[in-house]
Amino acid sequence: MDDLMLNQFLLLGAILFATGVYGVLAKKNAVLVLMSIELILNAVNINLVAFGAHNGTIVGSVFALFVIAVAAAEVGVGLAIVLLIYRNRKSVDLDEVAQMKG
Amino acid sequence: MLAAETVTAGFFLEHAYVVPLIMAASFALTLGIGKRLGRHASWIGIAAIGVCFLFAIGANVQWADYVQDSEHAAEAEHDDESHAEDEGEAGTPDSEEEGAHTEGVGTTSGEDDEHALGAASDEIGPSVDGETASARAPPAPAVEEGEGGGHAEYEVVPVTKTWTWWSNGGVTFEAGMLLDGMTVMMLFVVTLISLLVHVFSTDYVAGDRRYTHYFAFLSLFSAAMLGFVMAQNIVQLITLWELVGVCSFALIGHWWEDKPNSDAALKAFLTNRVGDIGLLVGMIVLFFAAGQTFDIIEINTLANEGAISHTALVVASVALIAAVMSKSGQFILHTWLPDAMAGPTPVSALIHAATMVVAGIFMVARMYGVFWNGLVIGGSSVNLLAVVGGLTVLGGAGLAFVQSDIKKVLAYSTVSQLGYMVMALGVGAWTAALFHLFTHAFFKAGLFLGAGSVSHAVHSFDMKKDMGGMKKFMPKTFWTFLICTGALIGIFPLAGFWSKDEILAGAAQLGGSGSYTAFLIVGSIGALMTAAYMTRCIYLTFFGEFRGGHADTPDEEHATVSHGEEDHPVDEDHAADALDHAGHGDHHGEPHESGPRILVPLYILAGLAVVAGFVNVPDSGVLSWVPEGLALQFEHLFEPKGGYFPSLTEAGPAGVTFAHPTFDLGIAIGSTVVALVGIGLSYAWYFKGLGPHGITGRNRLARAGYRFLENKYYFDHLYTGVIAAGFKGPIARAVNWFNQKGLDGVVDGVGKGAVGGGRFVYDQIDQRFVDGVVNGSGFAAEGGGQFFRQMQTGKVQQYAAILFVASVIFAGVFIIVI
Amino acid sequence: MDFIQDWGLTAMVFAPLVGVALMMLFPRDAEETHKLIAMVASLVTAGIGIAVFAEFDFDQSGTLQLVRDHAWIDVINARYEIAIDGLSVPLIALTLLITPLVIAYSWNHFPEPHNPKAFLALILVLHTGMLGTFVAQDLILFFVFFEVVLLPMYFMIGVWGGPERQYAAIKFFLYTLFGSALMILSFLALFFLTGAETFSMTGLAEEVQAADIARGTQILVFGGMFMGFGIKVPMFPFHTWLPDAHTQAPTQGSVILAAVLLKLGTYGFIRVALPILPEGAEAWAPWIGLLAVIGIIYGALGCLAQTDMKRLIAFSSVAHMGYVMLGISTLTDFGLNAAVFGMVAHGLITGMLFFIAGSIKERFHTLEIKRLGGLLVQAPRMGWILGFCTMASLGLPGLAGFWGEFPAILSAYQPMEGLPVETFRTYMVVAAIGTVFAAGYLLWLYQRTAFGTPSEEFEHDENIHDVETPEWVAWVPLLALILVLGVYPNLVFQVTDDSIVNVATSIAAAVGAGG
């Protein structure tokens, strides 16, 4: 894979990452936020794979696999929390969830 | 060297050291038990000085024998030259014999220890080469030798005696007695004058409240001076020189209740101290230059041999001249001397005739080897010593004109006459200087005591206000005063004529190019002025109308005449009052002649003023008929002969020999004429009222001149007003200010700074910072918590935002750094 | 006697403390007992001192005698090493003389607040400190005694002093302590630098030579000692504690301070600083000389400005100690001898002057010169004594003061080889000029206090009487000594000469070898 290709992958990663960040910060819905986190993680995954391919190693791909696995777990836990919140408050609006306020 | 077997010093010479000791004992005794004896306290002093006087006469007689013997011995030795070889063995004066009583030092073999004679250094004897020990050179062989040629080059070894005094740096220094011609002469002069002053004082200060103190200090004064003249080394010389100064301090300030008197005493002492700087420095230079010895003979000998560098001698001479200037009242340190008139009159006589001021002259004469070689006196026609002397002759005489106080006239006259002596020493006429000292002692003491006698009668010293016509009341005092004045002026054949003439002859004949011409002129002008001011003094005092006798003269210097015809009770508590009253005494009616205790000393002194000059009658020129046994006896007996004095025959390091002036009829007549002219002018002015009287009122120049004289050339203003006041006032205050505000300010500042610093440390650092940190950590933790809890919104998104921003920042930093 | 040989010095030094211990047994109001004990203690001390001097071999005064050397503080190898030689003998004699005289003077002159018990006890403690300093041959021992002196003096000034006593006492204490601190630093530096790890004075002198310490280091170490001793002397510009301390101290304190305490500094120079650090001494000598002559002139000018008699006398000490320091700075046997003589003479004369000042204060209740006058009329004998002392103080030949001054001036003409001759000759001339100033301020003082007539204020004051018995007892020995030493100075010179020659030759040798 040459440099041009790498750049495009990185660009894609950056876009996905930015979108994800936007989602995490701006969305009120907890589910959307979780999805945005997924976007961020996958942006990273793209980068890892792209670098791995660029350097001719499989380390990147291995890392990406790990990330996917962790992300799956994370989404699982995250959705469970969201579900519980919804049950308690009948809402998944993050602005209202401020029990952790010190 | 001498053949010692035949020359022995007699008892009086060997034991002359007791003379000052007697006087010192008299001082202690008078002070100790004098109060109990009351009026009789003076007998202690009179008895002591009487004994000393007899002792001095004995010493003089024996000295004459001793000189004779030395001469004969030298003659004998000349006949038998084989002896000459053994003589070079004599030890040096500081031969290191241990123990206190190193008696005599020149221990030639076979010599009886009892009569051991101090010898000068072993190298100096002419007999070392066995040639020059000739007994008698052919008469007048050379011009330079002048009349001295008759007395050949033989040596008169001074009689010495030493004791261990102190040691330093492993070297032992000695105190001792050095007796040679000049010492013996001074013994006679000092004891005689002192004796007469003692006798005179018994009447003059009778009734004084500090009668005993007065006599005690008179004794100590004599002791100091007698010790001074026989000092064997320069430390002793300095010691007694200062002691003389202290005694004069005590006596000048005798009536210390009045501030002017104590001021005068202080001035005398301090002025002398200024000169003493020179004395100390000069003597120290000599000490090291002569290879660490204080011995006077050795220093002089080395100087004569050229063993001391010329630079050292010059420095030493100049420094010592400063000392002479202060002690002997030479310009420009003369100002204390007239002020010293605040003391009782007999003390003035003593100071001016025999002690204090003579010490300076004596010191130069004593260290003549140093001056002679240092200033190259024999080979120049002008030198510092002569210039100082010459200046003083004229300066002093000028001031004597404007005084209205009879004692001040005499004081300035002394200044001027001392100038003659210094000048004589400066031109190389050593003998003339000492001879003038000798004659001057008698007639000046006579004049002072005469003035005392007059003031005793009128209770004042002011010639213009309280005297006049005294001839009528006090004929005896008048005649003695007149004779002494004649001697001072130098009228033939009185004493002053011979001595002054010898000085003038010296100025005319000695020196490098044959004469010290400038000083001959100075001397002659001085003679003219002397004649004139003394005539004025005589006129104001003894002729004209009696101006005194008025009831009360508020500004009269009564404090300086403290006695009455009656005995005042000595009242301790109201002494000051008693003193004042004593001054007025029973002062009524006309003044009358003084009593015998005052007159007898006057007779004696007047007699001596007549005859003293014949001691050194020259035998040359028109006087060549004078038999040899009578002529130049002063020179013969009292001029040192030996290696420690400039040699008559051998040229010293400067390439000149010492010489004597010869009698010159022209100069004798000339000086007499000059003196007569002076008398004549003054006579015309005062007695006849001729001349432009009142010119000081009309002519600005004359007035300025008069004022210049009246203010004593403004020296007093300079010393007292500028220098002394400057040191006492602004400079001392400035130093004190510096000390208090500067140095102490720094110290106090450091202290205050330390205290302030401490307070700062405590307040700011300890209380605020250290404690603040401790407290602050608590506060900070709490405050920090409060602050950070603001961020704890509980909103996950906010956290995420922060997280993101933070990672962006870190990433940015990371990128920039990497 | 063996006992004296072995224990004489120790007994002499600590005898006063025995007196103090005895005094503790009696209550405070048993004043007569306290006086008696103090007097006896000081006399016993003097007696032991005389026995010691009898044992002392004056023909061998150059060597240390009656040596006693014990282990003391093993950790730092400080030893109890005491001995005397010709250098210490005159100063010990002076101390032995002054203390009984001070106690005799105290008999009816106790300053306020009374309390003789404490006052006399302090004097005795002071006595021990002073004697100890003069016998110590170990630097730490020396330092301890040197400091022991401080505290009693501090209390004497601070408790019995004049109106400004607190200030003066603290100033005195801090000043001296500051110097001491630098001094002990120097001692420690020697201890370590030589590698010998000893504090013995004699040992160190050799060790320093052997160790070949760099010249710069020597100069620095000497500087420390210079501060310590120089402040004590006191040398310009470290003298400002002196006028205050003297002025505020009670008479007895002033006398001891002037007579003995100041000598600790100069003694320290000759005993410690010069022999141990000859090269440092050589480098410092011109500066010491300079400060000395500045002190001479400066002290004299300061005197002229004083309005208080006691303060004037205090200032004169600065000038007089200048002569002593000038003698020391020449590093010649002549100058050092002069310095030792100057110490003794100054002790006698200035001590005497302070006695008189105290007595005047007691009678007139003031020492302001303006208000005094006519002392000779009201108390003629005291006036005479004052006159005698001023004469002695201005260095009149024939009295003791001269023999400290003259040889010191003399020695400056030819300082030790290697020192700048021209500089020292200049010092000589300045010092000679100083004698004029000395005469000036002293005679002026005398004129204003003794001459003239009493001022109206005191004219009929019943309180003003002539010298009384305790004063005679205290003064006569001093006056006699001033005269005797003046007439026959060899009494001191022959004792000190050998030791001094040793010191001077060792310095010259060391400097010659080193430079």
Side-chain angles (χ1 to χ4, degrees), chain A residues 21 24-25 27 33 94 97-98 100-102, chain B residues 789 792-797 799-801 804:
Chain A
V21 168
V24 168
L25 298 182
K27 292 298 158 194
V33 170
L94 283 176
V97 186
M100 277 163 69
K101 182 173 168 33
Chain B
R789 86 180 253 246
Q792 205 76 358
T793 53
K795 293 179 180 164
V796 181
Q797 278 173 315
Y799 299 164
F804 179 71

Side-chain angles (χ1 to χ4, degrees), chain A residues 17 21-22 24-25 40, chain B residues 791 796-814:
Chain A
F17 183 81
V21 168
Y22 167 77
V24 168
L25 298 182
I40 292 172
Chain B
M791 294 165 67
V796 181
Q797 278 173 315
Q798 213 158 16
Y799 299 164
I802 291 169
L803 179 77
F804 179 71
V805 170
S807 10
V808 168
I809 289 169
F810 282 124
V813 169
F814 186 70

